[in-house]
Amino acid sequence: MASFLLVCTTSLLLIILSSYIYQLLERTRSRLPPGPVPLPIIGNLLDVASKLPHRSLWRLAERYGPLVSVRIGAAVVVVVSSPSTAREVLKTHNGSITGRRPPDAWNGAGHATNSLFTLSPGRRWRELRRIGAEHLLSPRRLDGHGLRHAMRAALLDMRRRISKSATDTAAAKPVEVGGVAFETMAELMWRAMFSCGLDAATLRELHGVAREAVRLALTPNVSDFFPAVAAMDLQGVRRGMAKQVGKVYELIDQEIDKRRRAREETGGGGGIVDEQEVDLLGVMLDMWEVDEEEVDEVVMNRDTIRTFLTDVFLAAVDSIPSTIEWAMAELLQNREAMKKLKEQLNSVLGSKECVECSDVDGVPYLQAVIKETLRLHSLVPLVPNNAEDTVEIQGHVIPKGCNVIVNLWAIHHNAEVWTNPCKFIPERFLQCNKEEFNYQGTEDFEFMPFSAGKRLCLGLPLATRMLPALLGSLLHHFEWTLPKEAKENGLDMSEKLGLTLAMATPLQAMVKAM
Ligand code: HEM
């Protein structure tokens, strides 16, 4: 028995050693970008494993250069960390490096099958993306009557809610800034999707669901690095995600059923108020009905509707509140910037009851504060792609099937591009020509919080309208200060990475009505 065990152990060690040597030789032969030497089996897991991978990958780039390759379990990953290498991925070779390999979590409830975030750029992705960009989240639709009305209603509700805390001076308690922004965005999205508001219990439930779903979405998961064991879902991440996504599906299904019944009763839309017919669900149901008649071209059905609406809902209630929270945290610590911004808002808005998106176009410092927040706290720090063909970048080979991560956070902190990259200086966006730093992914690929190329964020038109309107509203109508404890001990600015990069300790602030 002992000799049998010895033979088994020796064989196992030999297999591990030879696969290790093979990996090293393969790396030299294949002209992969440089990187740390991988260990047997786990590869470079120890070099990159961290709760904040954008920072550990940034440190690797400082040592090995703007193109680094690492091996994590069975996967080869190339990390891109400079404007010039990002241009190669997001422009020159954009046709070949926009594939997706969805994290296993996204397979929960089959979500990845129809999710724009995880579909590879085939026909289904193209069609869903076109529908999203042209019909659902286009500037024309967002500036149309229905959505402008929903935005206004959500902002007025926010003002009312904060006013309650602001006037209750006897028991003045700090307000959770991200929570307020979450409620506003959730209300807005529900109105935009279904033309109805959310009751307090559903709002609370959705807050819990969103928090858990964004945590699970990118949780480091052994199933992603060792696909051979993925079916077991050892950490329960896929099951957890299925549960959260399932709750949103359930609420969306109820709205779909309600609307379909109403359409049947009124003979296909007649009698239903106009507002409902132009909301996102109304537009998607119209497409579904057309698709049902043309059986060959089915893109829209119950699955695609609920996946799309779940995606945009979660993206909006996570990304925009997190950005607002970071911006407020920076402004609360930088009283000069806060004062300057409030003065500009005051001179442009005067005593306006509600800040609308169109008003705040004329407040350059507000736009600069938002850009600087998105640079310093890059909300989506890492953009994952998959190479669908082998390509060559700056003399290195990126093999087909390899994961290619663009480290937007590292690019936004590149000291060759940004003076004092770790400091909050909104003025840097005022000193340059306006076109130079638009949001569409600049020509020089130095500032691109929404990424660039074919997979540029679909929510960009909504985000660039809601961010200034929301931040402008918070600041124009209220006076904000840090709670006593944060004033004395400093604010905890540490990060937590979920679907987006959020503040690890939710920001609390004292508020007074103006
Ligand atoms: C501060 C706000 C936001 C930031 C910084 C942001 C950033 C990003 C980034 C960096 C990507 C990855 C692009 C790529 O793969 O190259 C992305 C994708 C995406 N975003 Fe956003 N986003 C924001 C808000 C939103 C909102 C509000 C929505 C929806 C209403 C949204 C919907 C999407 C979708 C659907 C994709 C996937 C696009 C695709 O792969 O085709 N985002 N976003």
Side-chain angles (χ1 to χ4, degrees), residues 100 116-117 125 129 312 315-316 319 323 379-380 383 449-451 455 457 459 462:
R100 283 289 188 269
L116 262 177
F117 287 106
W125 172 79
R129 173 114 197 164
V312 296
S319 61
T323 313
L379 256 275
V380 180
V383 175
F450 297 90
S451 188
R455 297 202 84 129
C457 170
L462 176 66

mmCIF file with all atom_site columns, all heavy atoms in Angstrom, residues 100 116-117 125 129 312 315-316 319 323 379-380 383 449-451 455 457 459 462, ligand 1:
data_model
loop_
_atom_site.group_PDB
_atom_site.id
_atom_site.type_symbol
_atom_site.label_atom_id
_atom_site.label_alt_id
_atom_site.label_comp_id
_atom_site.label_asym_id
_atom_site.label_entity_id
_atom_site.label_seq_id
_atom_site.pdbx_PDB_ins_code
_atom_site.Cartn_x
_atom_site.Cartn_y
_atom_site.Cartn_z
_atom_site.occupancy
_atom_site.B_iso_or_equiv
_atom_site.pdbx_formal_charge
_atom_site.auth_seq_id
_atom_site.auth_comp_id
_atom_site.auth_asym_id
_atom_site.auth_atom_id
_atom_site.pdbx_PDB_model_num
ATOM   1   N  N   . ARG A 1 100 ? -16.654 37.936 -24.796 1.00 0.00 ? 100 ARG A N   1
ATOM   2   C  CA  . ARG A 1 100 ? -16.897 37.890 -23.350 1.00 0.00 ? 100 ARG A CA  1
ATOM   3   C  C   . ARG A 1 100 ? -16.821 36.437 -22.878 1.00 0.00 ? 100 ARG A C   1
ATOM   4   O  O   . ARG A 1 100 ? -17.245 35.532 -23.589 1.00 0.00 ? 100 ARG A O   1
ATOM   5   C  CB  . ARG A 1 100 ? -18.308 38.396 -23.019 1.00 0.00 ? 100 ARG A CB  1
ATOM   6   C  CG  . ARG A 1 100 ? -18.445 39.881 -23.077 1.00 0.00 ? 100 ARG A CG  1
ATOM   7   C  CD  . ARG A 1 100 ? -17.709 40.548 -21.917 1.00 0.00 ? 100 ARG A CD  1
ATOM   8   N  NE  . ARG A 1 100 ? -17.981 41.975 -21.850 1.00 0.00 ? 100 ARG A NE  1
ATOM   9   C  CZ  . ARG A 1 100 ? -17.259 42.901 -22.456 1.00 0.00 ? 100 ARG A CZ  1
ATOM   10  N  NH1 . ARG A 1 100 ? -16.239 42.569 -23.209 1.00 0.00 ? 100 ARG A NH1 1
ATOM   11  N  NH2 . ARG A 1 100 ? -17.564 44.183 -22.323 1.00 0.00 ? 100 ARG A NH2 1
ATOM   12  N  N   . LEU A 1 116 ? -26.648 41.680 -22.103 1.00 0.00 ? 116 LEU A N   1
ATOM   13  C  CA  . LEU A 1 116 ? -25.756 42.470 -22.962 1.00 0.00 ? 116 LEU A CA  1
ATOM   14  C  C   . LEU A 1 116 ? -24.339 42.514 -22.397 1.00 0.00 ? 116 LEU A C   1
ATOM   15  O  O   . LEU A 1 116 ? -23.367 42.605 -23.137 1.00 0.00 ? 116 LEU A O   1
ATOM   16  C  CB  . LEU A 1 116 ? -26.276 43.903 -23.029 1.00 0.00 ? 116 LEU A CB  1
ATOM   17  C  CG  . LEU A 1 116 ? -27.097 44.269 -24.241 1.00 0.00 ? 116 LEU A CG  1
ATOM   18  C  CD1 . LEU A 1 116 ? -27.586 45.685 -24.126 1.00 0.00 ? 116 LEU A CD1 1
ATOM   19  C  CD2 . LEU A 1 116 ? -26.276 44.109 -25.512 1.00 0.00 ? 116 LEU A CD2 1
ATOM   20  N  N   . PHE A 1 117 ? -24.233 42.453 -21.066 1.00 0.00 ? 117 PHE A N   1
ATOM   21  C  CA  . PHE A 1 117 ? -22.913 42.515 -20.444 1.00 0.00 ? 117 PHE A CA  1
ATOM   22  C  C   . PHE A 1 117 ? -22.049 41.316 -20.829 1.00 0.00 ? 117 PHE A C   1
ATOM   23  O  O   . PHE A 1 117 ? -20.840 41.430 -20.927 1.00 0.00 ? 117 PHE A O   1
ATOM   24  C  CB  . PHE A 1 117 ? -23.042 42.532 -18.910 1.00 0.00 ? 117 PHE A CB  1
ATOM   25  C  CG  . PHE A 1 117 ? -23.542 43.828 -18.369 1.00 0.00 ? 117 PHE A CG  1
ATOM   26  C  CD1 . PHE A 1 117 ? -24.837 43.949 -17.897 1.00 0.00 ? 117 PHE A CD1 1
ATOM   27  C  CD2 . PHE A 1 117 ? -22.725 44.940 -18.331 1.00 0.00 ? 117 PHE A CD2 1
ATOM   28  C  CE1 . PHE A 1 117 ? -25.305 45.153 -17.399 1.00 0.00 ? 117 PHE A CE1 1
ATOM   29  C  CE2 . PHE A 1 117 ? -23.183 46.148 -17.832 1.00 0.00 ? 117 PHE A CE2 1
ATOM   30  C  CZ  . PHE A 1 117 ? -24.474 46.258 -17.365 1.00 0.00 ? 117 PHE A CZ  1
ATOM   31  N  N   . TRP A 1 125 ? -26.218 39.757 -29.686 1.00 0.00 ? 125 TRP A N   1
ATOM   32  C  CA  . TRP A 1 125 ? -25.698 40.948 -28.995 1.00 0.00 ? 125 TRP A CA  1
ATOM   33  C  C   . TRP A 1 125 ? -25.938 42.200 -29.838 1.00 0.00 ? 125 TRP A C   1
ATOM   34  O  O   . TRP A 1 125 ? -26.400 43.228 -29.344 1.00 0.00 ? 125 TRP A O   1
ATOM   35  C  CB  . TRP A 1 125 ? -24.191 40.782 -28.708 1.00 0.00 ? 125 TRP A CB  1
ATOM   36  C  CG  . TRP A 1 125 ? -23.563 42.046 -28.170 1.00 0.00 ? 125 TRP A CG  1
ATOM   37  C  CD1 . TRP A 1 125 ? -23.626 42.507 -26.890 1.00 0.00 ? 125 TRP A CD1 1
ATOM   38  C  CD2 . TRP A 1 125 ? -22.817 43.018 -28.915 1.00 0.00 ? 125 TRP A CD2 1
ATOM   39  N  NE1 . TRP A 1 125 ? -22.955 43.707 -26.788 1.00 0.00 ? 125 TRP A NE1 1
ATOM   40  C  CE2 . TRP A 1 125 ? -22.454 44.046 -28.019 1.00 0.00 ? 125 TRP A CE2 1
ATOM   41  C  CE3 . TRP A 1 125 ? -22.417 43.121 -30.248 1.00 0.00 ? 125 TRP A CE3 1
ATOM   42  C  CZ2 . TRP A 1 125 ? -21.704 45.159 -28.419 1.00 0.00 ? 125 TRP A CZ2 1
ATOM   43  C  CZ3 . TRP A 1 125 ? -21.683 44.230 -30.647 1.00 0.00 ? 125 TRP A CZ3 1
ATOM   44  C  CH2 . TRP A 1 125 ? -21.330 45.231 -29.736 1.00 0.00 ? 125 TRP A CH2 1
ATOM   45  N  N   . ARG A 1 129 ? -28.235 45.224 -28.644 1.00 0.00 ? 129 ARG A N   1
ATOM   46  C  CA  . ARG A 1 129 ? -27.518 46.484 -28.463 1.00 0.00 ? 129 ARG A CA  1
ATOM   47  C  C   . ARG A 1 129 ? -28.177 47.582 -29.311 1.00 0.00 ? 129 ARG A C   1
ATOM   48  O  O   . ARG A 1 129 ? -28.356 48.707 -28.875 1.00 0.00 ? 129 ARG A O   1
ATOM   49  C  CB  . ARG A 1 129 ? -26.054 46.240 -28.861 1.00 0.00 ? 129 ARG A CB  1
ATOM   50  C  CG  . ARG A 1 129 ? -25.193 47.439 -28.890 1.00 0.00 ? 129 ARG A CG  1
ATOM   51  C  CD  . ARG A 1 129 ? -24.110 47.465 -27.880 1.00 0.00 ? 129 ARG A CD  1
ATOM   52  N  NE  . ARG A 1 129 ? -23.683 48.841 -27.803 1.00 0.00 ? 129 ARG A NE  1
ATOM   53  C  CZ  . ARG A 1 129 ? -22.978 49.366 -26.856 1.00 0.00 ? 129 ARG A CZ  1
ATOM   54  N  NH1 . ARG A 1 129 ? -22.597 48.636 -25.855 1.00 0.00 ? 129 ARG A NH1 1
ATOM   55  N  NH2 . ARG A 1 129 ? -22.643 50.624 -26.870 1.00 0.00 ? 129 ARG A NH2 1
ATOM   56  N  N   . VAL A 1 312 ? -30.335 46.856 -16.966 1.00 0.00 ? 312 VAL A N   1
ATOM   57  C  CA  . VAL A 1 312 ? -30.266 48.319 -16.918 1.00 0.00 ? 312 VAL A CA  1
ATOM   58  C  C   . VAL A 1 312 ? -30.666 48.828 -15.535 1.00 0.00 ? 312 VAL A C   1
ATOM   59  O  O   . VAL A 1 312 ? -30.102 49.805 -15.034 1.00 0.00 ? 312 VAL A O   1
ATOM   60  C  CB  . VAL A 1 312 ? -31.077 49.044 -18.033 1.00 0.00 ? 312 VAL A CB  1
ATOM   61  C  CG1 . VAL A 1 312 ? -30.534 48.737 -19.405 1.00 0.00 ? 312 VAL A CG1 1
ATOM   62  C  CG2 . VAL A 1 312 ? -32.536 48.765 -17.963 1.00 0.00 ? 312 VAL A CG2 1
ATOM   63  N  N   . ALA A 1 315 ? -27.588 48.177 -13.306 1.00 0.00 ? 315 ALA A N   1
ATOM   64  C  CA  . ALA A 1 315 ? -26.478 49.067 -13.694 1.00 0.00 ? 315 ALA A CA  1
ATOM   65  C  C   . ALA A 1 315 ? -26.753 50.481 -13.199 1.00 0.00 ? 315 ALA A C   1
ATOM   66  O  O   . ALA A 1 315 ? -25.879 51.142 -12.629 1.00 0.00 ? 315 ALA A O   1
ATOM   67  C  CB  . ALA A 1 315 ? -26.297 49.060 -15.216 1.00 0.00 ? 315 ALA A CB  1
ATOM   68  N  N   . ALA A 1 316 ? -27.996 50.929 -13.380 1.00 0.00 ? 316 ALA A N   1
ATOM   69  C  CA  . ALA A 1 316 ? -28.305 52.322 -13.024 1.00 0.00 ? 316 ALA A CA  1
ATOM   70  C  C   . ALA A 1 316 ? -28.301 52.540 -11.518 1.00 0.00 ? 316 ALA A C   1
ATOM   71  O  O   . ALA A 1 316 ? -27.778 53.545 -11.037 1.00 0.00 ? 316 ALA A O   1
ATOM   72  C  CB  . ALA A 1 316 ? -29.658 52.712 -13.622 1.00 0.00 ? 316 ALA A CB  1
ATOM   73  N  N   . SER A 1 319 ? -24.290 52.117 -10.438 1.00 0.00 ? 319 SER A N   1
ATOM   74  C  CA  . SER A 1 319 ? -23.225 53.008 -10.907 1.00 0.00 ? 319 SER A CA  1
ATOM   75  C  C   . SER A 1 319 ? -23.470 54.479 -10.535 1.00 0.00 ? 319 SER A C   1
ATOM   76  O  O   . SER A 1 319 ? -22.555 55.166 -10.067 1.00 0.00 ? 319 SER A O   1
ATOM   77  C  CB  . SER A 1 319 ? -23.089 52.889 -12.428 1.00 0.00 ? 319 SER A CB  1
ATOM   78  O  OG  . SER A 1 319 ? -24.305 53.283 -13.044 1.00 0.00 ? 319 SER A OG  1
ATOM   79  N  N   . THR A 1 323 ? -21.236 56.852 -7.931  1.00 0.00 ? 323 THR A N   1
ATOM   80  C  CA  . THR A 1 323 ? -20.509 58.039 -8.412  1.00 0.00 ? 323 THR A CA  1
ATOM   81  C  C   . THR A 1 323 ? -20.880 59.263 -7.566  1.00 0.00 ? 323 THR A C   1
ATOM   82  O  O   . THR A 1 323 ? -20.021 60.065 -7.185  1.00 0.00 ? 323 THR A O   1
ATOM   83  C  CB  . THR A 1 323 ? -20.851 58.335 -9.899  1.00 0.00 ? 323 THR A CB  1
ATOM   84  O  OG1 . THR A 1 323 ? -20.756 57.123 -10.626 1.00 0.00 ? 323 THR A OG1 1
ATOM   85  C  CG2 . THR A 1 323 ? -19.931 59.356 -10.500 1.00 0.00 ? 323 THR A CG2 1
ATOM   86  N  N   . LEU A 1 379 ? -15.319 54.063 -11.894 1.00 0.00 ? 379 LEU A N   1
ATOM   87  C  CA  . LEU A 1 379 ? -16.395 53.213 -11.372 1.00 0.00 ? 379 LEU A CA  1
ATOM   88  C  C   . LEU A 1 379 ? -16.315 51.769 -11.843 1.00 0.00 ? 379 LEU A C   1
ATOM   89  O  O   . LEU A 1 379 ? -16.600 50.837 -11.119 1.00 0.00 ? 379 LEU A O   1
ATOM   90  C  CB  . LEU A 1 379 ? -17.734 53.808 -11.823 1.00 0.00 ? 379 LEU A CB  1
ATOM   91  C  CG  . LEU A 1 379 ? -18.533 54.558 -10.800 1.00 0.00 ? 379 LEU A CG  1
ATOM   92  C  CD1 . LEU A 1 379 ? -19.389 53.647 -9.988  1.00 0.00 ? 379 LEU A CD1 1
ATOM   93  C  CD2 . LEU A 1 379 ? -17.651 55.383 -9.878  1.00 0.00 ? 379 LEU A CD2 1
ATOM   94  N  N   . VAL A 1 380 ? -15.943 51.616 -13.130 1.00 0.00 ? 380 VAL A N   1
ATOM   95  C  CA  . VAL A 1 380 ? -15.718 50.258 -13.646 1.00 0.00 ? 380 VAL A CA  1
ATOM   96  C  C   . VAL A 1 380 ? -14.212 50.195 -13.904 1.00 0.00 ? 380 VAL A C   1
ATOM   97  O  O   . VAL A 1 380 ? -13.743 50.580 -14.967 1.00 0.00 ? 380 VAL A O   1
ATOM   98  C  CB  . VAL A 1 380 ? -16.531 50.031 -14.942 1.00 0.00 ? 380 VAL A CB  1
ATOM   99  C  CG1 . VAL A 1 380 ? -16.307 48.632 -15.500 1.00 0.00 ? 380 VAL A CG1 1
ATOM   100 C  CG2 . VAL A 1 380 ? -18.015 50.259 -14.682 1.00 0.00 ? 380 VAL A CG2 1
ATOM   101 N  N   . VAL A 1 383 ? -12.092 46.397 -17.424 1.00 0.00 ? 383 VAL A N   1
ATOM   102 C  CA  . VAL A 1 383 ? -13.025 45.977 -18.473 1.00 0.00 ? 383 VAL A CA  1
ATOM   103 C  C   . VAL A 1 383 ? -12.514 44.656 -19.060 1.00 0.00 ? 383 VAL A C   1
ATOM   104 O  O   . VAL A 1 383 ? -11.441 44.606 -19.652 1.00 0.00 ? 383 VAL A O   1
ATOM   105 C  CB  . VAL A 1 383 ? -13.123 47.054 -19.580 1.00 0.00 ? 383 VAL A CB  1
ATOM   106 C  CG1 . VAL A 1 383 ? -13.990 46.554 -20.725 1.00 0.00 ? 383 VAL A CG1 1
ATOM   107 C  CG2 . VAL A 1 383 ? -13.706 48.334 -19.014 1.00 0.00 ? 383 VAL A CG2 1
ATOM   108 N  N   . PRO A 1 449 ? -14.090 56.707 -18.804 1.00 0.00 ? 449 PRO A N   1
ATOM   109 C  CA  . PRO A 1 449 ? -14.781 55.993 -17.721 1.00 0.00 ? 449 PRO A CA  1
ATOM   110 C  C   . PRO A 1 449 ? -15.878 55.069 -18.223 1.00 0.00 ? 449 PRO A C   1
ATOM   111 O  O   . PRO A 1 449 ? -16.262 54.137 -17.523 1.00 0.00 ? 449 PRO A O   1
ATOM   112 C  CB  . PRO A 1 449 ? -15.381 57.132 -16.875 1.00 0.00 ? 449 PRO A CB  1
ATOM   113 C  CG  . PRO A 1 449 ? -15.377 58.335 -17.749 1.00 0.00 ? 449 PRO A CG  1
ATOM   114 C  CD  . PRO A 1 449 ? -14.245 58.171 -18.702 1.00 0.00 ? 449 PRO A CD  1
ATOM   115 N  N   . PHE A 1 450 ? -16.388 55.312 -19.435 1.00 0.00 ? 450 PHE A N   1
ATOM   116 C  CA  . PHE A 1 450 ? -17.435 54.453 -19.981 1.00 0.00 ? 450 PHE A CA  1
ATOM   117 C  C   . PHE A 1 450 ? -16.850 53.492 -21.009 1.00 0.00 ? 450 PHE A C   1
ATOM   118 O  O   . PHE A 1 450 ? -17.564 52.910 -21.803 1.00 0.00 ? 450 PHE A O   1
ATOM   119 C  CB  . PHE A 1 450 ? -18.536 55.305 -20.616 1.00 0.00 ? 450 PHE A CB  1
ATOM   120 C  CG  . PHE A 1 450 ? -19.245 56.191 -19.623 1.00 0.00 ? 450 PHE A CG  1
ATOM   121 C  CD1 . PHE A 1 450 ? -18.791 57.483 -19.363 1.00 0.00 ? 450 PHE A CD1 1
ATOM   122 C  CD2 . PHE A 1 450 ? -20.345 55.731 -18.913 1.00 0.00 ? 450 PHE A CD2 1
ATOM   123 C  CE1 . PHE A 1 450 ? -19.427 58.302 -18.438 1.00 0.00 ? 450 PHE A CE1 1
ATOM   124 C  CE2 . PHE A 1 450 ? -20.984 56.536 -17.985 1.00 0.00 ? 450 PHE A CE2 1
ATOM   125 C  CZ  . PHE A 1 450 ? -20.531 57.824 -17.741 1.00 0.00 ? 450 PHE A CZ  1
ATOM   126 N  N   . SER A 1 451 ? -15.516 53.331 -20.991 1.00 0.00 ? 451 SER A N   1
ATOM   127 C  CA  . SER A 1 451 ? -14.793 52.508 -21.948 1.00 0.00 ? 451 SER A CA  1
ATOM   128 C  C   . SER A 1 451 ? -14.909 53.135 -23.343 1.00 0.00 ? 451 SER A C   1
ATOM   129 O  O   . SER A 1 451 ? -15.246 54.329 -23.468 1.00 0.00 ? 451 SER A O   1
ATOM   130 C  CB  . SER A 1 451 ? -15.294 51.069 -21.902 1.00 0.00 ? 451 SER A CB  1
ATOM   131 O  OG  . SER A 1 451 ? -14.473 50.247 -22.687 1.00 0.00 ? 451 SER A OG  1
ATOM   132 N  N   . ARG A 1 455 ? -18.112 48.254 -27.514 1.00 0.00 ? 455 ARG A N   1
ATOM   133 C  CA  . ARG A 1 455 ? -18.859 47.925 -26.296 1.00 0.00 ? 455 ARG A CA  1
ATOM   134 C  C   . ARG A 1 455 ? -18.959 49.111 -25.342 1.00 0.00 ? 455 ARG A C   1
ATOM   135 O  O   . ARG A 1 455 ? -19.270 48.913 -24.157 1.00 0.00 ? 455 ARG A O   1
ATOM   136 C  CB  . ARG A 1 455 ? -18.238 46.720 -25.605 1.00 0.00 ? 455 ARG A CB  1
ATOM   137 C  CG  . ARG A 1 455 ? -18.312 45.476 -26.452 1.00 0.00 ? 455 ARG A CG  1
ATOM   138 C  CD  . ARG A 1 455 ? -18.199 44.212 -25.655 1.00 0.00 ? 455 ARG A CD  1
ATOM   139 N  NE  . ARG A 1 455 ? -19.450 43.800 -25.097 1.00 0.00 ? 455 ARG A NE  1
ATOM   140 C  CZ  . ARG A 1 455 ? -19.974 42.574 -25.217 1.00 0.00 ? 455 ARG A CZ  1
ATOM   141 N  NH1 . ARG A 1 455 ? -19.323 41.650 -25.891 1.00 0.00 ? 455 ARG A NH1 1
ATOM   142 N  NH2 . ARG A 1 455 ? -21.121 42.271 -24.655 1.00 0.00 ? 455 ARG A NH2 1
ATOM   143 N  N   . CYS A 1 457 ? -20.167 51.843 -22.991 1.00 0.00 ? 457 CYS A N   1
ATOM   144 C  CA  . CYS A 1 457 ? -21.329 51.710 -22.091 1.00 0.00 ? 457 CYS A CA  1
ATOM   145 C  C   . CYS A 1 457 ? -22.632 52.146 -22.765 1.00 0.00 ? 457 CYS A C   1
ATOM   146 O  O   . CYS A 1 457 ? -22.724 53.248 -23.300 1.00 0.00 ? 457 CYS A O   1
ATOM   147 C  CB  . CYS A 1 457 ? -21.088 52.558 -20.849 1.00 0.00 ? 457 CYS A CB  1
ATOM   148 S  SG  . CYS A 1 457 ? -22.543 52.701 -19.795 1.00 0.00 ? 457 CYS A SG  1
ATOM   149 N  N   . GLY A 1 459 ? -25.350 52.756 -21.226 1.00 0.00 ? 459 GLY A N   1
ATOM   150 C  CA  . GLY A 1 459 ? -26.087 53.688 -20.371 1.00 0.00 ? 459 GLY A CA  1
ATOM   151 C  C   . GLY A 1 459 ? -25.494 55.086 -20.352 1.00 0.00 ? 459 GLY A C   1
ATOM   152 O  O   . GLY A 1 459 ? -25.965 55.949 -19.610 1.00 0.00 ? 459 GLY A O   1
ATOM   153 N  N   . LEU A 1 462 ? -27.826 58.076 -20.419 1.00 0.00 ? 462 LEU A N   1
ATOM   154 C  CA  . LEU A 1 462 ? -28.598 58.233 -19.186 1.00 0.00 ? 462 LEU A CA  1
ATOM   155 C  C   . LEU A 1 462 ? -27.691 58.739 -18.063 1.00 0.00 ? 462 LEU A C   1
ATOM   156 O  O   . LEU A 1 462 ? -28.053 59.671 -17.317 1.00 0.00 ? 462 LEU A O   1
ATOM   157 C  CB  . LEU A 1 462 ? -29.228 56.886 -18.781 1.00 0.00 ? 462 LEU A CB  1
ATOM   158 C  CG  . LEU A 1 462 ? -29.992 56.888 -17.465 1.00 0.00 ? 462 LEU A CG  1
ATOM   159 C  CD1 . LEU A 1 462 ? -31.233 57.764 -17.577 1.00 0.00 ? 462 LEU A CD1 1
ATOM   160 C  CD2 . LEU A 1 462 ? -30.404 55.483 -17.043 1.00 0.00 ? 462 LEU A CD2 1
HETATM 161 C  C1  . HEM B 2 .   ? -21.334 56.235 -13.811 1.00 0.00 ? 1   HEM B C1  1
HETATM 162 C  C2  . HEM B 2 .   ? -22.037 55.473 -14.572 1.00 0.00 ? 1   HEM B C2  1
HETATM 163 C  C3  . HEM B 2 .   ? -21.501 54.376 -15.452 1.00 0.00 ? 1   HEM B C3  1
HETATM 164 C  C4  . HEM B 2 .   ? -20.225 54.030 -15.785 1.00 0.00 ? 1   HEM B C4  1
HETATM 165 C  C5  . HEM B 2 .   ? -18.927 54.684 -15.315 1.00 0.00 ? 1   HEM B C5  1
HETATM 166 C  C6  . HEM B 2 .   ? -20.305 52.905 -16.696 1.00 0.00 ? 1   HEM B C6  1
HETATM 167 C  C7  . HEM B 2 .   ? -19.223 52.274 -17.276 1.00 0.00 ? 1   HEM B C7  1
HETATM 168 C  C8  . HEM B 2 .   ? -19.314 51.174 -18.105 1.00 0.00 ? 1   HEM B C8  1
HETATM 169 C  C9  . HEM B 2 .   ? -18.183 50.473 -18.646 1.00 0.00 ? 1   HEM B C9  1
HETATM 170 C  C10 . HEM B 2 .   ? -16.720 50.831 -18.415 1.00 0.00 ? 1   HEM B C10 1
HETATM 171 C  C11 . HEM B 2 .   ? -18.671 49.447 -19.388 1.00 0.00 ? 1   HEM B C11 1
HETATM 172 C  C12 . HEM B 2 .   ? -17.849 48.369 -20.115 1.00 0.00 ? 1   HEM B C12 1
HETATM 173 C  C13 . HEM B 2 .   ? -17.710 48.668 -21.581 1.00 0.00 ? 1   HEM B C13 1
HETATM 174 C  C14 . HEM B 2 .   ? -16.835 47.645 -22.286 1.00 0.00 ? 1   HEM B C14 1
HETATM 175 O  O1  . HEM B 2 .   ? -17.088 46.464 -22.122 1.00 0.00 ? 1   HEM B O1  1
HETATM 176 O  O2  . HEM B 2 .   ? -15.900 48.050 -22.997 1.00 0.00 ? 1   HEM B O2  1
HETATM 177 C  C15 . HEM B 2 .   ? -20.116 49.509 -19.341 1.00 0.00 ? 1   HEM B C15 1
HETATM 178 C  C16 . HEM B 2 .   ? -20.946 48.651 -20.008 1.00 0.00 ? 1   HEM B C16 1
HETATM 179 C  C17 . HEM B 2 .   ? -22.314 48.710 -19.961 1.00 0.00 ? 1   HEM B C17 1
HETATM 180 N  N1  . HEM B 2 .   ? -23.071 49.622 -19.263 1.00 0.00 ? 1   HEM B N1  1
HETATM 181 FE FE1 . HEM B 2 .   ? -22.359 51.155 -18.153 1.00 0.00 ? 1   HEM B FE1 1
HETATM 182 N  N2  . HEM B 2 .   ? -21.629 52.594 -16.890 1.00 0.00 ? 1   HEM B N2  1
HETATM 183 C  C18 . HEM B 2 .   ? -22.391 53.467 -16.157 1.00 0.00 ? 1   HEM B C18 1
HETATM 184 C  C19 . HEM B 2 .   ? -23.769 53.521 -16.108 1.00 0.00 ? 1   HEM B C19 1
HETATM 185 C  C20 . HEM B 2 .   ? -24.619 52.695 -16.796 1.00 0.00 ? 1   HEM B C20 1
HETATM 186 C  C21 . HEM B 2 .   ? -26.055 52.801 -16.773 1.00 0.00 ? 1   HEM B C21 1
HETATM 187 C  C22 . HEM B 2 .   ? -26.844 53.868 -16.031 1.00 0.00 ? 1   HEM B C22 1
HETATM 188 C  C23 . HEM B 2 .   ? -26.539 51.792 -17.569 1.00 0.00 ? 1   HEM B C23 1
HETATM 189 C  C24 . HEM B 2 .   ? -27.950 51.447 -17.942 1.00 0.00 ? 1   HEM B C24 1
HETATM 190 C  C25 . HEM B 2 .   ? -28.966 52.211 -17.824 1.00 0.00 ? 1   HEM B C25 1
HETATM 191 C  C26 . HEM B 2 .   ? -25.390 51.066 -18.094 1.00 0.00 ? 1   HEM B C26 1
HETATM 192 C  C27 . HEM B 2 .   ? -25.476 49.988 -18.929 1.00 0.00 ? 1   HEM B C27 1
HETATM 193 C  C28 . HEM B 2 .   ? -24.390 49.325 -19.458 1.00 0.00 ? 1   HEM B C28 1
HETATM 194 C  C29 . HEM B 2 .   ? -24.508 48.167 -20.335 1.00 0.00 ? 1   HEM B C29 1
HETATM 195 C  C30 . HEM B 2 .   ? -25.815 47.488 -20.782 1.00 0.00 ? 1   HEM B C30 1
HETATM 196 C  C31 . HEM B 2 .   ? -23.195 47.787 -20.654 1.00 0.00 ? 1   HEM B C31 1
HETATM 197 C  C32 . HEM B 2 .   ? -22.782 46.612 -21.534 1.00 0.00 ? 1   HEM B C32 1
HETATM 198 C  C33 . HEM B 2 .   ? -22.552 47.095 -22.952 1.00 0.00 ? 1   HEM B C33 1
HETATM 199 C  C34 . HEM B 2 .   ? -22.056 45.988 -23.877 1.00 0.00 ? 1   HEM B C34 1
HETATM 200 O  O3  . HEM B 2 .   ? -21.257 45.175 -23.450 1.00 0.00 ? 1   HEM B O3  1
HETATM 201 O  O4  . HEM B 2 .   ? -22.466 45.994 -25.034 1.00 0.00 ? 1   HEM B O4  1
HETATM 202 N  N3  . HEM B 2 .   ? -24.247 51.651 -17.600 1.00 0.00 ? 1   HEM B N3  1
HETATM 203 N  N4  . HEM B 2 .   ? -20.488 50.576 -18.540 1.00 0.00 ? 1   HEM B N4  1
#
